[in-house]
mmCIF file of all heavy atoms in Angstrom:
data_model
loop_
_atom_site.group_PDB
_atom_site.id
_atom_site.type_symbol
_atom_site.label_atom_id
_atom_site.label_comp_id
_atom_site.label_asym_id
_atom_site.label_seq_id
_atom_site.Cartn_x
_atom_site.Cartn_y
_atom_site.Cartn_z
ATOM 1 N N PHE A 35 98.921 108.263 95.744
ATOM 2 C CA PHE A 35 98.797 107.129 96.751
ATOM 3 C C PHE A 35 97.792 107.588 97.948
ATOM 4 O O PHE A 35 97.809 108.815 98.214
ATOM 5 C CB PHE A 35 100.146 106.832 97.393
ATOM 6 C CG PHE A 35 101.235 106.616 96.367
ATOM 7 C CD1 PHE A 35 101.930 107.547 95.777
ATOM 8 C CD2 PHE A 35 101.474 105.259 96.002
ATOM 9 C CE1 PHE A 35 102.931 107.411 94.889
ATOM 10 C CE2 PHE A 35 102.568 105.022 95.034
ATOM 11 C CZ PHE A 35 103.234 106.091 94.480
ATOM 12 N N TYR A 37 97.117 106.239 101.899
ATOM 13 C CA TYR A 37 97.567 105.424 102.989
ATOM 14 C C TYR A 37 96.582 105.541 104.216
ATOM 15 O O TYR A 37 95.904 106.593 104.387
ATOM 16 C CB TYR A 37 98.978 105.811 103.563
ATOM 17 C CG TYR A 37 99.933 105.710 102.569
ATOM 18 C CD1 TYR A 37 100.299 106.647 101.599
ATOM 19 C CD2 TYR A 37 100.766 104.512 102.556
ATOM 20 C CE1 TYR A 37 101.334 106.480 100.645
ATOM 21 C CE2 TYR A 37 101.900 104.414 101.645
ATOM 22 C CZ TYR A 37 102.034 105.341 100.727
ATOM 23 O OH TYR A 37 103.178 105.243 99.832
ATOM 24 N N GLN A 39 96.240 105.172 108.463
ATOM 25 C CA GLN A 39 96.979 105.143 109.589
ATOM 26 C C GLN A 39 95.985 104.927 110.839
ATOM 27 O O GLN A 39 95.424 105.874 111.359
ATOM 28 C CB GLN A 39 97.910 106.289 109.941
ATOM 29 C CG GLN A 39 98.796 106.164 111.081
ATOM 30 C CD GLN A 39 99.659 107.322 111.369
ATOM 31 O OE1 GLN A 39 99.290 108.586 111.157
ATOM 32 N NE2 GLN A 39 100.881 107.133 111.701
ATOM 33 N N GLY A 43 99.237 103.315 114.767
ATOM 34 C CA GLY A 43 100.375 104.058 114.283
ATOM 35 C C GLY A 43 100.882 103.582 112.845
ATOM 36 O O GLY A 43 101.490 104.362 112.240
ATOM 37 N N MET A 45 101.459 102.765 109.100
ATOM 38 C CA MET A 45 100.950 103.407 107.831
ATOM 39 C C MET A 45 100.753 102.228 106.789
ATOM 40 O O MET A 45 101.649 101.542 106.496
ATOM 41 C CB MET A 45 101.874 104.397 107.176
ATOM 42 C CG MET A 45 102.051 105.714 108.097
ATOM 43 S SD MET A 45 100.751 106.840 107.742
ATOM 44 C CE MET A 45 101.217 107.448 106.149
ATOM 45 N N PHE A 47 99.540 101.051 103.031
ATOM 46 C CA PHE A 47 99.321 101.458 101.620
ATOM 47 C C PHE A 47 97.895 100.910 101.304
ATOM 48 O O PHE A 47 97.638 99.770 101.375
ATOM 49 C CB PHE A 47 100.419 100.962 100.800
ATOM 50 C CG PHE A 47 100.044 101.023 99.292
ATOM 51 C CD1 PHE A 47 99.815 102.280 98.651
ATOM 52 C CD2 PHE A 47 99.840 99.907 98.556
ATOM 53 C CE1 PHE A 47 99.563 102.309 97.348
ATOM 54 C CE2 PHE A 47 99.526 99.927 97.241
ATOM 55 C CZ PHE A 47 99.372 101.156 96.640
ATOM 56 N N TYR A 50 96.741 103.057 94.509
ATOM 57 C CA TYR A 50 97.674 103.798 93.711
ATOM 58 C C TYR A 50 96.995 104.155 92.356
ATOM 59 O O TYR A 50 96.272 103.344 91.829
ATOM 60 C CB TYR A 50 98.968 102.954 93.510
ATOM 61 C CG TYR A 50 99.731 103.636 92.267
ATOM 62 C CD1 TYR A 50 100.583 104.725 92.533
ATOM 63 C CD2 TYR A 50 99.743 103.033 91.044
ATOM 64 C CE1 TYR A 50 101.347 105.272 91.429
ATOM 65 C CE2 TYR A 50 100.463 103.572 90.079
ATOM 66 C CZ TYR A 50 101.268 104.662 90.274
ATOM 67 O OH TYR A 50 102.010 105.181 89.159
ATOM 68 N N ARG A 95 103.894 111.352 94.098
ATOM 69 C CA ARG A 95 105.244 111.240 93.747
ATOM 70 C C ARG A 95 105.490 111.657 92.284
ATOM 71 O O ARG A 95 104.795 111.056 91.599
ATOM 72 C CB ARG A 95 105.717 109.715 93.995
ATOM 73 C CG ARG A 95 107.201 109.500 93.754
ATOM 74 C CD ARG A 95 107.598 108.073 94.111
ATOM 75 N NE ARG A 95 109.015 107.779 93.726
ATOM 76 C CZ ARG A 95 109.615 106.637 93.887
ATOM 77 N NH1 ARG A 95 108.983 105.573 94.567
ATOM 78 N NH2 ARG A 95 110.705 106.378 93.478
ATOM 79 N N LEU A 98 107.573 109.679 87.294
ATOM 80 C CA LEU A 98 107.593 108.215 87.580
ATOM 81 C C LEU A 98 108.709 107.407 86.817
ATOM 82 O O LEU A 98 109.033 106.343 87.121
ATOM 83 C CB LEU A 98 106.250 107.594 86.998
ATOM 84 C CG LEU A 98 104.996 108.145 87.775
ATOM 85 C CD1 LEU A 98 103.750 107.520 87.337
ATOM 86 C CD2 LEU A 98 105.154 107.922 89.287
ATOM 87 N N TYR A 104 112.267 111.005 94.439
ATOM 88 C CA TYR A 104 112.236 109.797 95.338
ATOM 89 C C TYR A 104 111.461 110.186 96.540
ATOM 90 O O TYR A 104 111.151 109.372 97.358
ATOM 91 C CB TYR A 104 113.689 109.497 95.888
ATOM 92 C CG TYR A 104 114.598 109.140 94.818
ATOM 93 C CD1 TYR A 104 115.611 109.977 94.376
ATOM 94 C CD2 TYR A 104 114.585 107.902 94.151
ATOM 95 C CE1 TYR A 104 116.557 109.605 93.355
ATOM 96 C CE2 TYR A 104 115.423 107.512 93.182
ATOM 97 C CZ TYR A 104 116.284 108.331 92.807
ATOM 98 O OH TYR A 104 117.289 107.932 91.780
ATOM 99 N N ILE A 105 111.066 111.436 96.611
ATOM 100 C CA ILE A 105 110.286 111.940 97.894
ATOM 101 C C ILE A 105 108.857 112.151 97.550
ATOM 102 O O ILE A 105 108.508 113.160 96.882
ATOM 103 C CB ILE A 105 111.045 113.183 98.304
ATOM 104 C CG1 ILE A 105 112.481 113.027 98.484
ATOM 105 C CG2 ILE A 105 110.380 113.617 99.648
ATOM 106 C CD1 ILE A 105 113.218 114.206 98.783
ATOM 107 N N PRO A 106 108.020 111.266 98.116
ATOM 108 C CA PRO A 106 106.565 111.591 98.062
ATOM 109 C C PRO A 106 106.200 112.769 98.874
ATOM 110 O O PRO A 106 106.829 113.093 99.904
ATOM 111 C CB PRO A 106 105.929 110.311 98.585
ATOM 112 C CG PRO A 106 106.943 109.303 98.557
ATOM 113 C CD PRO A 106 108.255 110.072 98.841
ATOM 114 N N PHE A 108 103.224 114.277 101.156
ATOM 115 C CA PHE A 108 102.046 113.921 101.863
ATOM 116 C C PHE A 108 101.059 115.142 102.284
ATOM 117 O O PHE A 108 101.614 116.157 102.493
ATOM 118 C CB PHE A 108 102.336 113.178 103.190
ATOM 119 C CG PHE A 108 102.853 111.767 102.971
ATOM 120 C CD1 PHE A 108 104.122 111.519 102.588
ATOM 121 C CD2 PHE A 108 101.973 110.663 103.283
ATOM 122 C CE1 PHE A 108 104.588 110.241 102.425
ATOM 123 C CE2 PHE A 108 102.486 109.421 102.991
ATOM 124 C CZ PHE A 108 103.783 109.136 102.625
ATOM 125 N N ASN B 32 114.847 102.297 98.164
ATOM 126 C CA ASN B 32 114.936 103.632 98.735
ATOM 127 C C ASN B 32 114.475 103.483 100.211
ATOM 128 O O ASN B 32 113.552 102.815 100.478
ATOM 129 C CB ASN B 32 113.976 104.697 98.037
ATOM 130 C CG ASN B 32 114.324 104.923 96.517
ATOM 131 O OD1 ASN B 32 115.494 104.849 96.207
ATOM 132 N ND2 ASN B 32 113.325 105.077 95.767
ATOM 133 N N TYR B 34 113.595 105.612 104.007
ATOM 134 C CA TYR B 34 113.246 106.844 104.562
ATOM 135 C C TYR B 34 113.025 106.842 106.018
ATOM 136 O O TYR B 34 112.644 105.722 106.544
ATOM 137 C CB TYR B 34 111.867 107.274 103.882
ATOM 138 C CG TYR B 34 111.644 107.117 102.423
ATOM 139 C CD1 TYR B 34 111.504 106.084 101.714
ATOM 140 C CD2 TYR B 34 111.834 108.367 101.696
ATOM 141 C CE1 TYR B 34 111.354 105.984 100.423
ATOM 142 C CE2 TYR B 34 111.651 108.246 100.243
ATOM 143 C CZ TYR B 34 111.492 107.094 99.642
ATOM 144 O OH TYR B 34 111.384 107.007 98.274
ATOM 145 N N GLN B 38 106.536 112.078 113.085
ATOM 146 C CA GLN B 38 105.281 112.404 113.194
ATOM 147 C C GLN B 38 104.830 112.956 114.611
ATOM 148 O O GLN B 38 104.844 112.133 115.598
ATOM 149 C CB GLN B 38 104.213 111.371 112.682
ATOM 150 C CG GLN B 38 102.769 111.680 112.675
ATOM 151 C CD GLN B 38 101.982 110.596 112.116
ATOM 152 O OE1 GLN B 38 102.163 109.368 112.539
ATOM 153 N NE2 GLN B 38 100.841 110.906 111.413
ATOM 154 N N LEU B 46 109.450 114.433 106.715
ATOM 155 C CA LEU B 46 110.539 113.681 106.175
ATOM 156 C C LEU B 46 111.800 114.132 106.867
ATOM 157 O O LEU B 46 112.134 115.296 106.749
ATOM 158 C CB LEU B 46 110.639 113.705 104.666
ATOM 159 C CG LEU B 46 111.869 112.890 104.036
ATOM 160 C CD1 LEU B 46 111.607 111.366 104.257
ATOM 161 C CD2 LEU B 46 111.826 113.259 102.601
ATOM 162 N N TYR B 49 116.361 110.506 103.718
ATOM 163 C CA TYR B 49 116.174 109.476 102.739
ATOM 164 C C TYR B 49 117.499 108.988 102.150
ATOM 165 O O TYR B 49 118.488 109.770 102.141
ATOM 166 C CB TYR B 49 115.130 109.855 101.723
ATOM 167 C CG TYR B 49 115.542 110.826 100.683
ATOM 168 C CD1 TYR B 49 116.072 110.467 99.446
ATOM 169 C CD2 TYR B 49 115.529 112.220 100.915
ATOM 170 C CE1 TYR B 49 116.528 111.379 98.506
ATOM 171 C CE2 TYR B 49 115.966 113.122 100.030
ATOM 172 C CZ TYR B 49 116.361 112.716 98.789
ATOM 173 O OH TYR B 49 116.873 113.624 97.887
ATOM 174 N N PHE B 88 106.699 110.252 117.085
ATOM 175 C CA PHE B 88 106.583 108.911 116.450
ATOM 176 C C PHE B 88 107.376 108.881 115.217
ATOM 177 O O PHE B 88 107.268 109.614 114.397
ATOM 178 C CB PHE B 88 105.053 108.704 116.205
ATOM 179 C CG PHE B 88 104.727 107.310 115.747
ATOM 180 C CD1 PHE B 88 105.017 106.238 116.550
ATOM 181 C CD2 PHE B 88 104.032 107.128 114.549
ATOM 182 C CE1 PHE B 88 104.630 104.979 116.135
ATOM 183 C CE2 PHE B 88 103.731 105.787 114.172
ATOM 184 C CZ PHE B 88 104.017 104.733 114.989
ATOM 185 N N GLN B 96 112.974 101.323 93.720
ATOM 186 C CA GLN B 96 113.544 102.487 92.988
ATOM 187 C C GLN B 96 112.566 103.047 91.857
ATOM 188 O O GLN B 96 112.601 104.178 91.561
ATOM 189 C CB GLN B 96 114.927 101.990 92.385
ATOM 190 C CG GLN B 96 115.940 101.832 93.456
ATOM 191 C CD GLN B 96 116.593 103.001 93.976
ATOM 192 O OE1 GLN B 96 116.434 104.192 93.340
ATOM 193 N NE2 GLN B 96 117.429 102.947 95.046
ATOM 194 N N GLY B 98 109.593 104.175 89.621
ATOM 195 C CA GLY B 98 108.512 105.155 89.916
ATOM 196 C C GLY B 98 107.178 104.499 90.021
ATOM 197 O O GLY B 98 107.022 103.351 89.497
ATOM 198 N N GLY B 99 106.289 105.072 90.671
ATOM 199 C CA GLY B 99 104.977 104.521 90.749
ATOM 200 C C GLY B 99 104.812 103.497 91.937
ATOM 201 O O GLY B 99 103.756 102.862 91.998
ATOM 202 N N GLN B 100 105.891 103.289 92.651
ATOM 203 C CA GLN B 100 105.681 102.198 93.624
ATOM 204 C C GLN B 100 105.464 102.957 94.973
ATOM 205 O O GLN B 100 106.112 103.931 95.298
ATOM 206 C CB GLN B 100 107.132 101.469 93.750
ATOM 207 C CG GLN B 100 107.426 100.756 92.377
ATOM 208 C CD GLN B 100 106.353 99.759 92.173
ATOM 209 O OE1 GLN B 100 105.979 98.993 92.998
ATOM 210 N NE2 GLN B 100 105.936 99.772 90.844
ATOM 211 N N PRO B 101 104.662 102.279 95.841
ATOM 212 C CA PRO B 101 104.286 102.939 97.040
ATOM 213 C C PRO B 101 105.442 102.807 98.068
ATOM 214 O O PRO B 101 106.303 101.969 97.964
ATOM 215 C CB PRO B 101 103.099 102.172 97.472
ATOM 216 C CG PRO B 101 103.276 100.852 96.913
ATOM 217 C CD PRO B 101 104.000 101.006 95.576
ATOM 218 N N GLN B 102 105.378 103.567 99.205
ATOM 219 C CA GLN B 102 106.187 103.313 100.320
ATOM 220 C C GLN B 102 105.586 102.233 101.199
ATOM 221 O O GLN B 102 104.333 102.244 101.297
ATOM 222 C CB GLN B 102 106.396 104.557 101.160
ATOM 223 C CG GLN B 102 107.248 105.527 100.363
ATOM 224 C CD GLN B 102 107.285 106.925 101.190
ATOM 225 O OE1 GLN B 102 106.337 107.530 101.390
ATOM 226 N NE2 GLN B 102 108.537 107.345 101.433
ATOM 227 N N PHE B 104 105.745 100.925 105.156
ATOM 228 C CA PHE B 104 106.258 101.590 106.410
ATOM 229 C C PHE B 104 106.407 100.361 107.459
ATOM 230 O O PHE B 104 105.648 99.402 107.523
ATOM 231 C CB PHE B 104 105.207 102.513 106.966
ATOM 232 C CG PHE B 104 105.186 103.789 106.159
ATOM 233 C CD1 PHE B 104 104.455 103.853 105.042
ATOM 234 C CD2 PHE B 104 105.862 104.881 106.699
ATOM 235 C CE1 PHE B 104 104.480 105.028 104.330
ATOM 236 C CE2 PHE B 104 105.858 106.123 105.954
ATOM 237 C CZ PHE B 104 105.186 106.154 104.720
ATOM 238 N N ARG B 109 107.710 104.867 119.150
ATOM 239 C CA ARG B 109 107.183 105.989 120.000
ATOM 240 C C ARG B 109 108.281 106.376 120.896
ATOM 241 O O ARG B 109 108.722 105.652 121.850
ATOM 242 C CB ARG B 109 105.970 105.651 120.770
ATOM 243 C CG ARG B 109 104.722 105.338 119.891
ATOM 244 C CD ARG B 109 103.399 105.393 120.569
ATOM 245 N NE ARG B 109 102.337 104.913 119.698
ATOM 246 C CZ ARG B 109 101.727 105.705 118.787
ATOM 247 N NH1 ARG B 109 102.068 106.886 118.754
ATOM 248 N NH2 ARG B 109 100.766 105.214 118.060
#
Side-chain angles (χ1 to χ4, degrees):
Chain A
F35 307 84
Y37 296 86
Q39 187 178 38
M45 291 279 284
F47 165 67
Y50 164 77
R95 186 171 169 181
L98 300 181
Y104 298 107
I105 307 172
F108 283 80
Chain B
N32 295 328
Y34 308 82
Q38 186 178 32
L46 179 64
Y49 71 95
F88 187 58
Q96 292 278 352
Q100 299 300 311
Q102 289 175 304
F104 289 80
R109 296 195 185 278

